[in-house]
């Protein structure tokens, strides 16, 4: 049953999550179980612990929903979605480390370094990043090597110092800067979460060798949606409960960190998120009915409770 | 002046190091220098600090020397060599972290987390790994996308949980296991340092689209040389001085960790390293004179003082 057969967004999201999770499970290394001598299974277990069994898998959904627009096969889309979720999982593991955000909880479970130890968590993150590129470069992801190289190149840029990692660096520096401008926060978030979301939304177009116009439309969608997503995150950090979030709420406010909400206030932040979500959906008009799920996703991103 | 014009190994190694370093410098992100607001240049600086200005660049040398056997152009070889050195640099940054080996010194300078801070060091390592794959997937590395995808795939495997990271996991577990068998230590080292050295030695064959036989010969060379390299490292850890090594010697012995030397003893370990080096060189006979530098490298690896 393909994703496009789902009219209802929540059902489609759940379907994307479970099918991607199934693919990730097959791609992750399995315990060696050689008993006696030391073996490296501990890092496999940490990779599995932190990448399987949870999360909304929004990034995977974007890949799969984008792929349906270009008649991309299920396996290429699922492998690409898995690669992105591996990168996302690695970033959360490293983000949670004591030297970074120092978070003991993730998705309602002990974070990786609490469940294992710091060294194992660092290595598990490192290995998940390598696995993402291994998966993308493999022939099963696409018969055309140029498409595989394109995916690797775009994901590496989105994940690297001029994308996600650069955004995390800014985020750490922002902790001691409650005076940041809205422009600086916007740039920070575009890098930290926006770059990977953009890649998720355009990966289907790369897999489908789409022309420039549809790719640009998806890029514009991702641009607005990524920001809406982040503002909604800031709102949840204020308004959510620990039970809903599976992590400690109010951390940013307590830390005196500048966020969209601290600068704009609750009302204007919410209005801005809603505006961006509508704007995101509008970019998809050229696709008509086919983009129905992605349009619903824009609404979900700002209406979610966790 | 191509690498192959050097008959003398030490001169060729120095040439490989400086030309690769020059390429790495161009590939690394440069400081934004936008002054006022926060910017992510801090992570760029940490990446540059830890990847430039030092090291023998043996892995780069293996790529360049291997590439000359198949008439590969200078740019593809230098970009591939840079990618491997970025992965090597990232692994050293993460290895030195307090949660891992907790080393304050690297190449005679403060290690990355001492010079910057732990969070920046984690991020710099993460970004260097992403940069390696970005470089390999770029068209400038090879006109044939299948070659680029092949390089990405092989490097990702060599660097991941079933290669270098798996070896690092074993290395951490080995710290509390002075009773390890020689077989377990050999497997540990094949993963921890051998996988990346193997990729370095065979990358030229991938770039040159070599047939199976020469690729297998280089693989066999790398297999023996990687182990010789590691035994030599263990010997240096016992016999070297801090000034020669640029790091604290005797750490493994002090920690009571099983090494080739602790099991075989100095004499037998040295004999084994020399045997492996001769064996490595013997695999290159089919290449004749053209492999002269690689044969000398095998000797250098066991004779070096740092």
């Amino acid at each position: 049953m393909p994703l496009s057969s789902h009219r209802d967004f929540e059902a489609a999201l759940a379907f994307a999550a479970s099918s991607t999770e199934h693919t990730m499970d097959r791609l992750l290394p399995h315990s060696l179980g050689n008993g006696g001598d030391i073996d490296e299974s501990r890092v496999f277990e940490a990779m599995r612990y932190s990448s399987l069994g949870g999360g909304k898998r929004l990034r995977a959904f974007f890949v799969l929903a984008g792929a349906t627009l270009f008649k991309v096969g299920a396996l290429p889309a699922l492998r690409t979605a898995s690669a992105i979720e591996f990168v996302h999982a690695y970033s959360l593991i490293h983000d949670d480390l004591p030297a970074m955000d120092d978070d003991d909880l993730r998705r309602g479970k002990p974070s990786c370094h609490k469940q294992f130890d710091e060294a194992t968590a660092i290595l598990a993150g490192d290995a998940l990043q390598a696995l993402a590129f291994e998966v993308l470069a493999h022939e099963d992801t696409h018969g055309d090597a140029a498409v595989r190289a394109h995916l690797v190149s775009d994901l590496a840029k989105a994940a690297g110092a001029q994308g996600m990692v650069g955004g995390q660096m800014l985020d750490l520096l922002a902790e001691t800067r409650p005076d940041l401008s809205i422009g600086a926060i916007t740039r920070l978030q575009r890098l930290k979460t926006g770059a990977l979301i953009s890649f998720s939304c355009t990966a289907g177009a790369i897999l489908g060798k789409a022309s420039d116009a549809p790719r640009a439309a998806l890029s514009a969608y991702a641009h607005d949606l990524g920001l809406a997503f982040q503002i909604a995150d800031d709102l949840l950090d204020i308004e959510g409960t620990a039970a809903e979030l599976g992590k400690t709420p109010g951390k940013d406010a307590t830390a005196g960190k500048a966020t969209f909400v601290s600068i704009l206030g609750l009302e204007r932040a919410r209005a801005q998120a809603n505006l961006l979500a509508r704007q995101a959906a509008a970019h998809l008009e050229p696709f008509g009915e086919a983009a129905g799920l992605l349009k619903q996703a824009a609404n979900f991103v700002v209406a979610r409770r966790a």
Side-chain angles (χ1 to χ4, degrees), chain A residues 15-180:
Chain A
F15 171 78
S18 71
S19 50
T20 302
E21 177 112 359
H22 182 74
T23 307
M24 291 167 75
D25 180 50
R26 285 194 302 106
L27 293 170
L28 284 159
H30 284 271
S31 178
L32 304 168
N34 70 1
D37 240 329
I38 54 167
D39 80 53
E40 63 275 29
S41 299
R42 184 175 175 81
V43 74
F44 302 170
E45 286 159 23
M47 292 166 77
R48 304 184 77 87
Y49 174 83
S50 288
S51 62
L52 298 178
K56 293 177 292 294
R57 306 278 185 217
L58 257 180
R59 290 158 191 80
F61 170 83
F62 290 136
V63 177
L64 302 187
T68 62
L69 298 175
F70 308 100
K71 316 274 180 257
V72 173
L75 184 64
L78 284 167
R79 290 178 62 95
T80 304
S82 297
I84 293 167
E85 291 289 341
F86 289 142
V87 168
H88 182 52
Y90 120 65
S91 76
L92 298 181
I93 294 173
H94 283 191
D95 246 8
D96 286 342
L97 287 167
M100 306 272 286
D101 283 356
D102 194 14
D103 257 312
D104 291 355
L105 270 183
R106 171 65 64 181
R107 294 172 182 159
K109 297 190 303 184
S111 47
C112 192
H113 66 276
K114 296 303 278 185
Q115 181 72 14
F116 296 87
D117 56 73
E118 273 190 61
T120 303
I122 293 167
L123 291 175
D126 290 345
L128 283 168
Q129 177 166 209
L131 180 60
F133 292 110
E134 184 185 338
V135 167
L136 289 184
H138 192 283
E139 287 180 4
D140 286 352
T141 297
H142 205 286
D144 183 344
V147 167
R148 305 200 297 273
H150 191 164
L151 290 170
V152 169
S153 177
D154 276 18
L155 180 59
K157 280 181 208 157
Q162 285 158 308
M164 184 179 78
V165 169
Q168 284 170 310
M169 186 77 249
L170 288 175
D171 204 31
L172 288 166
L173 297 170
E175 271 166 26
T176 52
R177 293 285 302 271
D179 60 320
L180 276 191

